[in-house]
Amino acid sequence: MTGRSRQIVLVVASFVAVAFVSWLIFIAFDGAAIDKRMSTLNPLSDQAQSYHDVYVLVWWLSGAVFVVIMAATLILSIHYRERPGVEPRRDIHGNTRLEILWTIIPIVIVLIMVVPTFAAVLSVEGDAEEGALEVTATGHQWWFEFTYHDSDGNELFRTANEMHVPVEQAVNVSLVSNDVIHAFWVPALFGKKDMMPGHNNRLWFKSKPGTEGMHYGQCVEYCGDSHANMRFRIFVESAADYDAWVTNQIAKAKWSDDELVSAGREVFVAKACNSCHQVEYSKSDAPDWLVPPTVAAIGPNLSHLASRTTIASALLDRDESSLRAWLKNPPAIKPGSRMPNLELTDDEITKLIAMLDSLE
Ligand code: CUA
């Protein structure tokens, strides 16, 4: 093999080796094998798409820089290696043309990244177009409260840990906190934004057509013992399903005269559950002892708990065994939980579950 052809083989082999390693890294992060429910690589809104597009651009640019630099390092190391009988090359100092070139190239690369980055950030700032849905998301240690408003800004209802939105509808979300700093993030739908005490942050998003389904969210600012347990879900659904959900949430809680449910209501009051959790009953003559006149939002509003799929800030599916485990000892499931272990007996828990299951 001549020196020339050996050089060509060396260059090609170096590029192939580096490209192969890069490809391995790419497939590791591509998301083909990972759970896409919390992945930014599966954008389901225009806003998440604009972030994703910037990510892909930066990935390919960095990939190209990586391949070129690693290949050049390999080629030069092998070509100029020390060999017996070969005089080492002299060092070279100063080359104005080269220095100008390697200053301009990084500037151009940075500019190519900066312009779309700012465009993406600006596209999600401010408010959505007129007619957007208005929801306030409040961070609590450790759960999320969602307050829905009508077009005049009046409160319609409150729910917890599960937010519903109609597909292809712009949604403005006001982000506030009741205690420490939390952050709000649904990777498939929007970038994360802080929930600050005493400061109102806003974000907006609009889901793409055909994205009906459940999307996972998570607090992403360390906020204490159960930060990692502070989860929520967004359900994107058809306009008809959404309207049905809203109609049910606006209605007051159904009153049931079932014996076990009535017994559950008595436990609910005897154990002072109603000093933290509001249940707004439809019965106009619901006894005063059941519904205190004002209740601070210490815990989630339970008026329609049975319409939710989860409990305990979306940590557990809402079923008999989870409710039982939760009511038995909340801090065992969510360390630091403000809901204490109330030392409930199995019988009291059975009654409470009957009551909670009646709150459709
Ligand atoms: Cu709330 Cu971390």
Side-chain angles (χ1 to χ4, degrees):
M1 206 185 269
T2 66
R4 185 85 195 144
S5 55
R6 196 165 49 230
Q7 270 182 344
I8 292 170
V9 169
L10 193 62
V11 169
V12 172
S14 302
F15 270 99
V16 169
V18 173
F20 179 69
V21 173
S22 312
W23 176 72
L24 285 180
I25 295 170
F26 180 77
I27 58 167
F29 289 97
D30 172 44
I34 59 170
D35 186 344
K36 291 198 174 184
R37 292 178 301 184
M38 280 287 282
S39 172
T40 50
L41 300 175
N42 183 29
L44 301 178
S45 74
D46 301 341
Q47 290 63 42
Q49 184 69 51
S50 61
Y51 284 151
H52 179 260
D53 292 348
V54 171
Y55 170 78
V56 170
L57 174 76
V58 171
W59 199 94
W60 281 111
L61 275 174
S62 334
V65 169
F66 177 78
V67 168
V68 167
I69 289 178
M70 294 314 288
T73 307
L74 266 179
I75 292 166
L76 296 175
S77 309
I78 296 169
H79 185 75
Y80 293 109
R81 71 190 185 281
E82 197 179 288
R83 275 169 291 181
V86 178
E87 188 78 2
R89 313 253 174 157
R90 275 192 312 111
D91 285 351
I92 304 168
H93 291 284
N95 185 321
T96 311
R97 222 185 280 170
L98 200 59
E99 281 171 23
I100 290 174
L101 190 68
W102 73 41
T103 304
I104 288 176
I105 291 175
I107 290 175
V108 170
I109 293 174
V110 168
L111 281 178
I112 293 173
M113 293 192 289
V114 161
V115 175
T117 300
F118 273 96
V121 169
L122 289 177
S123 78
V124 297
E125 283 302 312
D127 283 359
E129 68 251 41
E130 289 279 308
L133 187 65
E134 282 289 336
V135 183
T136 299
T138 308
H140 297 260
Q141 281 172 318
W142 287 272
W143 57 284
F144 290 93
E145 180 171 42
F146 298 111
T147 310
Y148 281 66
H149 307 278
D150 66 14
S151 51
D152 298 324
N154 303 311
E155 183 177 323
L156 289 174
F157 61 88
R158 283 165 190 245
T159 185
N161 306 318
E162 295 186 12
M163 182 176 167
H164 289 236
V165 297
V167 70
E168 290 185 77
Q169 158 84 54
V171 185
N172 282 322
V173 189
S174 273
L175 301 168
V176 290
S177 169
N178 192 49
D179 35 54
V180 299
I181 302 175
H182 303 274
F184 196 65
W185 192 30
V186 176
L189 295 173
F190 45 80
K192 64 175 188 159
K193 206 157 204 179
D194 281 354
M195 308 172 106
M196 316 276 287
H199 178 81
N200 186 349
N201 272 339
R202 283 173 78 79
L203 65 79
W204 74 278
F205 69 95
K206 184 177 181 178
S207 55
K208 294 196 229 176
T211 53
E212 287 92 339
M214 185 254 285
H215 308 295
Y216 287 84
Q218 164 83 50
C219 178
V220 274
E221 179 69 42
Y222 181 71
C223 55
D225 288 354
S226 269
H227 158 67
N229 297 326
M230 191 171 163
R231 304 179 197 170
F232 66 105
R233 295 176 178 188
I234 292 187
F235 292 83
V236 174
E237 49 198 16
S238 69
D241 285 352
Y242 174 75
D243 288 344
W245 179 78
V246 168
T247 305
N248 186 52
Q249 299 298 313
I250 289 177
K252 299 250 160 99
K254 201 177 84 183
W255 184 269
S256 163
D257 284 319
D258 178 271
E259 206 173 303
L260 205 54
V261 172
S262 302
R265 279 194 294 260
E266 281 174 27
V267 176
F268 193 73
V269 174
K271 293 292 174 180
C273 307
N274 61 344
S275 57
C276 294
H277 294 284
Q278 202 165 12
V279 179
E280 296 158 284
Y281 274 109
S282 55
K283 191 175 163 71
S284 57
D285 57 347
D288 289 345
W289 53 261
L290 179 60
V291 189
T294 51
V295 176
I298 296 171
N301 183 311
L302 300 179
S303 297
H304 298 285
L305 180 73
S307 71
R308 299 178 205 153
T309 63
T310 58
I311 59 164
S313 70
L315 268 183
L316 305 174
D317 288 337
R318 188 189 55 79
D319 55 29
E320 157 91 25
S321 66
S322 304
L323 276 166
R324 195 163 281 282
W326 174 254
L327 291 170
K328 193 90 194 156
N329 190 359
I333 290 170
K334 209 201 275 183
S337 163
R338 292 189 72 183
M339 178 156 158
N341 182 345
L342 295 163
E343 313 283 343
L344 298 168
T345 64
D346 287 346
D347 179 55
E348 287 168 331
I349 289 175
T350 303
K351 290 170 180 165
L352 275 177
I353 291 176
M355 178 223 167
L356 295 171
D357 278 345
S358 74
L359 301 172
E360 288 160 5

